[in-house]
Amino acid sequence: MVPVHRGALARSAILSWTLRVATAAALGIDAAVHWRNASAYDAVGATVTQGQLFRAEAGLAVAAGLLVLVRPRRSSWVAALAVGASALAAVLLYRYVDLGSFGPLPDMYENTWQVPGKVLSASAEGAAVVLAGLGLLTHSKHPGMERLLAVGAIRRKRG
């Protein structure tokens, strides 16, 4: 069995906190943009308005970010990944495809990137996807995964 040095464990903890804070920050940016822009979209839709969807997205992004910070488990990383990926998929889909109204969902087609905050939000969502994916890989429930990551860091340093 290869002993794990304290330095490797400290680096693992630093990596964990870095991923957690960065993921939460990306989701926080996404939430802020959606919350700020929600009122401009309250008139878009009948059963469900685009403004309501924006507020729901903001709430989910905040919840997922807090979950990753407070409870960094596999399920938290999956939630953060799902929130970021679904938001990014929606902005890309409705930027390039005119689906029209879809069931209770309003027609959210907007063929421009010029809307204030849209590029920032999409960038934050993309960052959240990458960061949450990395978090999921490094905080896996597989037995000994952190130990393997720490041992790999030691070997790279020596090699």
Side-chain angles (χ1 to χ4, degrees):
M1 186 154 136
V2 178
V4 177
H5 299 284
R6 283 184 221 163
L9 290 176
R11 282 190 295 279
S12 177
I14 291 169
L15 173 63
S16 172
W17 272 105
T18 302
L19 285 172
R20 291 162 64 188
V21 169
T23 302
L27 290 169
I29 291 167
D30 176 47
V33 171
H34 278 88
W35 190 264
R36 187 185 73 220
N37 290 348
S39 62
Y41 293 94
D42 280 336
V44 180
T47 307
V48 177
T49 69
Q50 190 170 348
Q52 290 170 327
L53 292 173
F54 273 30
R55 286 182 192 89
E57 163 59 22
L60 289 171
V62 167
L66 288 174
L67 199 57
V68 163
L69 282 175
V70 175
R71 188 178 178 264
R73 292 183 172 78
R74 184 172 179 79
S75 57
S76 304
W77 289 109
V78 168
L81 182 63
V83 169
S86 63
L88 181 60
V91 74
L92 292 173
L93 178 67
Y94 286 110
R95 163 56 180 91
Y96 295 107
V97 180
D98 186 358
L99 295 177
S101 294
F102 190 74
L105 299 179
D107 183 0
M108 296 188 286
Y109 179 65
E110 197 169 59
N111 66 345
T112 182
W113 287 105
Q114 302 305 315
V115 175
K118 191 170 187 176
V119 171
L120 177 62
S121 178
S123 299
E125 292 157 0
V129 167
V130 171
L131 292 164
L134 289 171
L136 187 58
L137 289 174
T138 60
H139 291 82
S140 179
K141 265 191 160 177
H142 299 291
M145 179 59 81
E146 286 192 19
R147 185 179 214 53
L148 288 173
L149 290 170
V151 169
I154 292 168
R155 287 186 180 152
R156 281 192 302 277
K157 187 174 182 179
R158 289 182 184 162

